């Protein structure tokens, strides 16, 4: 199979690249390296089945041919992270709307299957626990919701292309995916807390830390995406991708501090000060994953202690490939 992976130098994308390369598929990565890193995938350089194109998806001259010549498109390229979106508003909108629409149109034109990475932010500030794929979306005025709105445009676009042009697509809404190669610079909580703890710096917790989240190990996600990629009969579906193992941010911080034997203190920062006055954090964000588990793959998300251990190991000694 020949797979085109946009955003393949990023955190999740690079693990997908590894999985396809491991079974001798051909992989082409397009990435502008805005938040991803060439180091995440440079262990494949020299392999004839691997090709990297350093380009933005909004102006990649070869995009037509690349979409025409592949069997499957996995579209991850996106501005990500609340901090990054708030600091790069224009660029984020353009990547997430214009870039996605372009890829999706080409997928439809060349009759290629596409897997689109969407987000739990789709549900907005809904406090429903165990969010189902058909639950309401509730957004507020803060610019933070632009990410949710852009991903929703992508989802609607796929729906329209599916209905009118028969596009084969699936949508994966990720809930806090974590693991090696994720960076803490753009607002991702777990790598930020791990790095602060390892450096014995103050560990920054937004608001009072009682927010409830779930954390899913990236290789568990890769397993599910590979299954969707390999099963043509899965079509025009939306899946929550995550786990139902909940933890509060303050508990997470305590676990990380204990695991790293850190002397860090905790500093509580109002999220409105970190971002903007209109910023709203979400108290509870937990997926219902019945649709995902109904796929019939053995899915046992890794527990949080092992996840923390793996991420700490990664930051202590970057993985040797
Ligand atoms: N990690 C999570 O918890 C999570 C949660 C929800 C959704 N997602 C989605 O999963 C996907 C991958 O996220 P990630 O966590 O691996 O983040 P990431 O930042 O590591 O990956 C995104 C990649 O896309 C690249 N990119 C961004 N804009 C681009 C553009 N215009 N042209 C080409 N490349 C571009 C970046 O350089 C990066 O390599 C994204 O679509 C994101 O919205 C991730």
């Amino acid at each position: 199979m020949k797979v085109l992976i946009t955003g393949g130098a990023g955190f999740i994308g690079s693990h997908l690249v590894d999985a396809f390369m491991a079974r001798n598929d051909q992989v082409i990565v397009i990435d502008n390296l805005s938040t991803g890193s060439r180091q995440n995938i440079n262990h494949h350089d020299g392999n004839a089945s691997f090709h990297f194109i350093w380009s933005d998806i909004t102006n990649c001259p070869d995009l037509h041919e690349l979409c025409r010549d592949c069997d499957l498109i996995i579209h991850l390229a996106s501005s990500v992270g609340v901090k990054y979106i708030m600091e790069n508003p224009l660029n984020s909108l353009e990547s997430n709307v214009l870039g996605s629409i372009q890829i999706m149109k080409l997928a439809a034109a060349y009759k290629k299957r596409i897997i689109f990475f969407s987000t739990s932010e789709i549900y907005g500030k809904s406090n429903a626990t165990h969010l189902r794929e058909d639950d309401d979306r509730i957004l507020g005025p803060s610019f933070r919701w632009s990410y949710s709105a852009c991903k929703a445009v992508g989802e609607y676009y796929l729906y329209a292309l599916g209905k009118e042009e028969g596009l084969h697509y699936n949508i994966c809404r990720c809930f806090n995916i974590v693991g090696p190669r994720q960076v803490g610079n753009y607002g991702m909580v777990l790598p930020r807390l791990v790095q602060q703890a390892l450096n014995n710096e103050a560990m920054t917790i937004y608001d009072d830390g009682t927010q409830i989240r779930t954390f899913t190990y990236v290789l568990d996600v890769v397993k599910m995406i590979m299954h969707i990629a390999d099963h043509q009969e899965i079509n025009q579906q939306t899946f929550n991708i995550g786990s139902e193992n909940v933890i509060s941010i303050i508990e997470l911080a305590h676990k990380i501090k204990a695991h790293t034997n850190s002397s860090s203190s905790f500093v509580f920062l109002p999220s409105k000060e970190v971002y903007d006055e209109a910023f709203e954090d979400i108290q509870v964000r937990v997926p219902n994953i019945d649709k995902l588990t109904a796929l019939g793959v053995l899915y046992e998300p890794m527990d949080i202690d092992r996840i923390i251990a793996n991420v700490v190991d990664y930051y202590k000694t970057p993985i040797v490939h």
Side-chain angles (χ1 to χ4, degrees):
M1 177 152 63
K2 193 166 181 179
V3 191
L4 175 64
I5 305 184
T6 73
F11 158 54
I12 302 175
S14 63
H15 287 282
L16 281 167
V17 171
D18 291 349
F20 283 107
M21 290 297 293
R23 56 183 218 184
N24 298 322
D25 286 316
Q26 270 183 282
V27 176
I28 296 117
V29 168
I30 308 177
D31 201 299
N32 66 1
L33 302 180
S34 53
T35 54
S37 162
R38 191 68 179 81
Q39 277 188 346
N40 288 339
I41 47 173
N42 64 10
H43 49 287
H44 298 299
D45 288 346
N47 186 323
S49 300
F50 174 73
H51 192 50
F52 174 72
I53 297 163
W54 182 14
S55 174
D56 197 287
I57 48 164
T58 56
N59 61 13
C60 175
D62 303 327
L63 203 59
H64 275 259
E65 293 89 275
L66 293 169
C67 291
R68 185 193 62 204
D69 296 343
C70 72
D71 302 303
L72 169 69
I73 301 166
I74 305 191
H75 178 41
L76 303 105
S78 165
S79 297
V80 298
V82 175
K83 187 164 181 283
Y84 187 92
I85 304 280
M86 303 287 281
E87 287 172 1
N88 302 278
L90 190 57
N91 183 268
S92 300
L93 288 175
E94 289 184 351
S95 278
N96 295 1
V97 177
L98 304 181
S100 289
I101 287 180
Q102 208 177 342
I103 301 267
M104 290 167 183
K105 274 180 147 171
L106 289 170
Y110 293 116
K111 308 245 169 286
K112 303 299 171 169
R113 298 161 61 214
I114 181 166
I115 297 176
F116 174 53
F117 271 70
S118 185
T119 172
S120 60
E121 285 269 311
I122 276 284
Y123 300 104
K125 55 184 173 176
S126 168
N127 266 339
T129 49
H130 298 95
L131 290 155
R132 290 165 43 97
E133 287 83 352
D134 55 0
D135 268 343
D136 290 343
R137 307 180 52 231
I138 304 171
L139 306 186
S142 166
F143 191 82
R144 82 156 289 156
W145 299 117
S146 68
Y147 175 57
S148 170
C150 291
K151 291 285 189 180
V153 169
E155 292 196 7
Y156 285 132
Y157 216 82
L158 289 173
Y159 171 84
L161 288 169
K163 195 169 168 60
E164 295 197 16
E165 299 183 20
L167 176 66
H168 186 302
Y169 71 87
N170 287 292
I171 295 167
C172 297
R173 293 179 179 163
C174 296
F175 284 66
N176 281 330
I177 314 306
V178 291
R181 301 183 192 153
Q182 188 175 38
V183 291
N185 317 13
Y186 310 111
M188 313 306 186
V189 61
L190 192 138
R192 184 186 76 237
L193 291 175
V194 167
Q195 281 172 296
Q196 289 169 335
L198 285 173
N199 295 330
N200 295 310
E201 292 166 0
M203 294 169 72
T204 45
I205 294 163
Y206 299 161
D207 302 320
D208 62 3
T210 57
Q211 305 91 321
I212 300 293
R213 296 290 183 270
T214 68
F215 294 91
T216 307
Y217 196 59
V218 64
L219 296 184
D220 291 330
V221 174
V222 166
K223 179 176 166 184
M224 301 313 285
I225 302 299
M226 299 302 280
H227 180 86
I228 294 169
D230 286 342
H231 287 78
Q232 301 244 11
E233 72 279 9
I234 305 171
N235 184 18
Q236 302 189 354
Q237 298 291 320
T238 301
F239 296 97
N240 284 338
I241 305 276
S243 96
E244 291 176 338
N245 304 331
V246 298
I247 186 165
S248 70
I249 299 298
I250 190 76
E251 273 179 90
L252 178 75
H254 278 290
K255 276 183 183 287
I256 292 171
K257 183 172 152 89
H259 192 91
T260 51
N261 278 324
S262 174
S263 60
S264 295
S265 56
F266 295 158
V267 172
F268 294 85
L269 299 176
S271 53
K272 285 184 188 302
E273 255 174 43
V274 179
Y275 297 113
D276 69 18
E277 251 322 292
F279 187 86
E280 301 157 285
D281 205 358
I282 300 135
Q283 192 56 29
V284 180
R285 187 178 276 159
V286 182
N288 171 308
I289 54 168
D290 289 352
K291 258 189 99 172
L292 187 67
T293 51
L295 287 175
V297 188
L298 181 62
Y299 184 58
E300 289 172 350
M302 186 183 283
D303 71 69
I304 192 67
D305 293 298
R306 270 187 67 204
I307 291 177
I308 291 171
N310 287 353
V311 174
V312 168
D313 282 352
Y314 171 73
Y315 276 111
K316 277 185 175 163
T317 342
I319 280 175
V320 179
H321 297 283

